[in-house]
Amino acid sequence: RVNSGRTIVFREDPLEEWLMLLGAVDEIPRDVAVRHQQAIHAALVQLTNVLDNPPPKGINYYDAAGWSLISPIEAPAEDVARAQQLYQRVFATGGAGVTYAQENLLGLIAVGAAPSSIPFWLEMVDLTRPRDTFATKRKRLAVAALAYLAIRRDVPEAYEALRRLCHHAKPAVRAFAVRYLGQTYKATERPLTPDEITFLTDIAVRDVVFAPRFQARAILRSNEQPVPLDNPNGVYAFKVKFKWDKRTYRALELRSEQTLVVLAHAFLGAIDWDCDHLYSFYMNSVKYDSAYTFACPFEDDNPPWTDEAIIGELGLAVKHEFLYHFDYGDDHFFEVEVVDIRPQAEEGKYPRVVDSHGAAPPQYPDYEE
C-alpha cells in the first residue's frame, strides 16, 4: 500500500492489506484502539455534515473527512452501517477526491467484517454509472471484502456469495471471485473438499474467458489437485514479438505437455540470445501482477514457476496474448500471442521455429566508449 499524502492506493492485493492490518490488531493498546474508533466516528459525522450542507464550490472529500478511515481497528457495527449509507451518498453526489472517499469508506466497511454487509458487497459488484473510472476497483474491493469476511468470521454466507459470483455475468467479477475464493482456502489452510474440486474444475474447463479459467486452474495447482490438460498430444503455436518492434517476431510451436521454460528458451535461442538472466511470464499481459505470474525457476521465493507451467494446463485459447519479461535489469519485454491450437502433434521434434521475421538486435549492444 502506498499512502501518498492523502490518497491511499492499493498496489497489490486489498485482501492481503486487510489481513496484514488484522495481524497488527493484537499489538495495539486498548486506549489507542478506542481513540481510533472515536476518530473514525468523528470522521463519519464530519462527512455526514458536509454531505448535508455542501459548500457553494462543491465538496472536496480530501477535507470532508480529514482522517484516513483505513485502520486495523474494527469500527462499531453502527458506524459500519453508517459508512454503507454514506458510501451511497458519496457515489451519487461526486466531487473532488471522490475516489479517495470511496476507497476509504469501502476499506472501513471491509475491515469491519460485519456479516450484515454481504448484501451491500453484492450490490457494489453491480454498481456503476457512465464514465465510472472506479468501477473495476470497486468490484475488486467488494469481492475481496467478501473473502475477508469469510476468513475473519468463517461465515458460510460469505463463502456462498463468492461461489455465486464465480458465475457472474461479468468476466472480471468471475475472475476476482475465483481468485479470492482460492485465497480463503490458503488463508484458512483448509483443504479442498471433493465438491470444491469439482466446482473449480468445472470453471477451469467450461468458462469461456481466460482469466476465470486460469484462476481456477491456479487454485487446483497450488492445492496439488489435478489440473485439466487441454488438447493432450496437441500443439500450441505462438508468435513472440518484440514489444517495441512488433515487426520483428519468431513463430514457435510447442507440444501441450511442454512448459513455459521451454517456450522461454526456445524463443531466446531463435533470436540468438543467451538465457542468462531471470525472467517472468505475465499471463494477463499486466506487468508484475502476481496473480497471473509464472517466475523463473531460479527465483526460489517466488512461486509458481515456469517449469511447472504446462502449456496445455494454462487454459489458453487462440488469440490470447500474454507478456514475457526477460532480464529484470535491461527489461526486455516480448508480446506472446497464441495463433493456433491443433489437437494432434505432427511427427518431429518440438519446440520448433516455424517462421522468422526481422533481424533481432544483439543481446548486448557494443556501445562505443
Side-chain angles (χ1 to χ4, degrees), residues 92-215:
T93 304
V98 66
T99 295
Y100 162 81
Q102 290 186 79
E103 195 161 22
N104 275 272
L105 286 167
L106 292 177
L108 167 64
I109 300 163
V111 172
S116 59
S117 66
I118 292 175
F120 171 81
W121 293 122
L122 292 174
E123 183 180 355
M124 291 300 100
V125 165
D126 292 314
L127 184 67
T128 189
R129 62 185 175 196
R131 299 181 296 280
D132 184 3
T133 59
F134 192 67
T136 299
K137 179 165 282 189
R138 184 186 304 109
K139 290 177 174 59
R140 180 177 182 178
L141 290 170
V143 180
L146 287 168
Y148 180 78
L149 178 54
I151 295 166
R152 182 80 174 95
R153 306 288 189 217
D154 192 24
V155 178
E157 292 82 3
Y159 285 106
E160 182 55 35
L162 283 173
R163 287 169 65 97
R164 291 205 310 272
L165 292 178
C166 289
H167 296 295
H168 194 274
K170 294 186 181 299
V173 174
R174 298 202 302 275
F176 288 141
V178 177
R179 172 182 174 183
Y180 285 122
L181 184 62
Q183 292 293 83
T184 67
Y185 305 140
K186 179 180 178 181
T188 58
E189 299 181 344
R190 182 166 61 85
L192 299 179
T193 66
D195 176 65
E196 288 164 339
I197 293 171
T198 300
F199 179 79
L200 292 167
T201 302
D202 184 72
I203 295 171
V205 173
R206 297 181 183 277
D207 199 294
V208 297
V209 175
F210 169 76
R213 284 201 310 272
F214 180 85
Q215 290 299 327

Side-chain angles (χ1 to χ4, degrees), residues 278-280 295-308 328:
L278 300 178
Y279 63 89
S280 292
C296 172
F298 294 106
E299 298 186 52
D300 294 338
D301 60 345
N302 194 25
W305 296 288
T306 53
D307 61 351
E308 61 186 17
Y328 302 156

Side-chain angles (χ1 to χ4, degrees), residues 252-310:
L252 304 101
E253 293 182 346
L254 283 78
R255 290 183 180 271
S256 59
E257 292 81 6
Q258 293 178 309
T259 67
L260 289 179
V261 164
V262 178
L263 176 60
H265 290 191
F267 173 69
L268 293 177
I271 61 173
D272 295 321
W273 285 20
D274 294 325
C275 189
D276 53 357
H277 292 280
L278 300 178
Y279 63 89
S280 292
F281 285 92
Y282 309 118
M283 302 307 297
N284 61 345
S285 292
V286 178
K287 292 185 292 186
Y288 316 120
D289 186 344
S290 59
Y292 290 87
T293 297
F294 285 102
C296 172
F298 294 106
E299 298 186 52
D300 294 338
D301 60 345
N302 194 25
W305 296 288
T306 53
D307 61 351
E308 61 186 17
I310 297 172

